[in-house]
Amino acid sequence: MSFQSIPEILDILQIEALYQQQPLKRLLDCWQEVVGKVVATHTQPVSIERDVLWVATSSAAWAQNLTFERQRLLKKLNKVLPTPLVDIRFSTAHWQRTKKKPYRQQSISSREHPSYLGNMSNHTFVKSFPKNPDTAFANWAKAIKAQFSSLPLCPNCQSPTPKGELERWQVCSICAAKSF
Ligand SMILES: [Zn+2]
């Protein structure tokens, strides 16, 4: 789970929505090609407002250097863009937010929960990085299924139940919740 604040998430969503806008999407597709790999890693186009392109930079020095180069970049960009840009503004303002933040660790250990199923990282699906969300989900579902098929059954409803739940309630967590 992430503990990002709502305004922060909205900011990210807003930036992602901006990416979907056509001219910017087109620009992002050719950005690295136009500016080069090094510059691309220190820059992130954020939006196009009234034909002015706003670009986030990793540092103020990059913003300054690129501001001097903006006429050259404009010429190159306008060759590939359907609507020409009139200017480019570089700023460090949106840099942090355009880069996805890593999720923070949960503060409570999952091992302490009675529904804990053992160390999932022993499973092969974690070792190989899935190429897309569908594969990731399929692998995850497979791993969960494998986990559940080796579990003892709840004496009440006969569904596979983590040992921790049986030790604590003698039935699965669902049956236990019903009896409360
Ligand atoms: Zn049950």
Side-chain angles (χ1 to χ4, degrees):
M1 273 303 287
S2 155
F3 292 99
Q4 282 170 312
S5 66
I6 299 290
E8 229 175 342
I9 290 166
L10 288 178
D11 255 325
I12 291 165
L13 288 177
Q14 204 178 10
I15 288 164
E16 273 168 359
L18 286 169
Y19 284 161
Q20 298 309 312
Q21 287 174 13
Q22 266 310 309
L24 188 66
K25 203 163 180 279
R26 190 115 171 208
L27 183 132
L28 284 168
D29 290 342
C30 66
W31 183 248
Q32 188 176 316
E33 210 176 298
V34 171
V35 298
K37 212 173 178 181
V38 179
V39 174
T41 57
H42 290 279
T43 56
Q44 176 67 61
V46 177
S47 65
I48 297 171
E49 286 162 37
R50 287 184 222 97
D51 298 330
V52 175
L53 171 66
W54 290 83
V55 178
T57 60
S58 65
S59 70
W62 273 105
Q64 199 176 19
N65 289 337
L66 289 165
T67 300
F68 291 126
E69 294 226 41
R70 73 185 192 282
Q71 289 305 331
R72 188 179 63 84
L73 292 174
L74 268 177
K75 256 186 209 165
K76 278 172 119 182
L77 284 170
N78 284 340
K79 271 184 201 161
V80 272
L81 293 175
T83 20
L85 297 165
V86 294
D87 205 354
I88 313 177
R89 304 277 160 80
F90 297 95
S91 155
T92 55
H94 289 285
W95 179 252
Q96 285 306 319
R97 285 169 181 181
T98 57
K99 299 285 161 191
K100 290 240 164 67
K101 288 173 190 173
Y103 290 138
R104 271 173 231 172
Q105 293 289 313
Q106 269 181 289
S107 53
I108 303 160
S109 166
S110 57
R111 283 165 191 274
E112 288 160 26
H113 195 277
S115 301
Y116 178 62
L117 287 173
N119 190 2
M120 297 295 276
S121 63
N122 286 337
H123 291 266
T124 48
F125 78 102
V126 183
K127 284 174 192 156
S128 60
F129 261 103
K131 283 190 184 70
N132 61 57
D134 287 344
T135 337
F137 179 77
N139 289 346
W140 172 81
K142 218 190 278 172
I144 293 293
K145 223 175 163 186
Q147 279 274 353
F148 272 95
S149 63
S150 63
L151 289 175
L153 300 178
C154 162
N156 195 41
C157 68
Q158 307 302 317
S159 58
T161 308
K163 265 196 187 128
E165 293 184 12
L166 291 178
E167 275 162 18
R168 187 156 175 175
W169 300 303
Q170 288 79 53
V171 287
C172 72
S173 55
I174 297 156
C175 292
K178 278 182 196 161
S179 68
F180 287 153

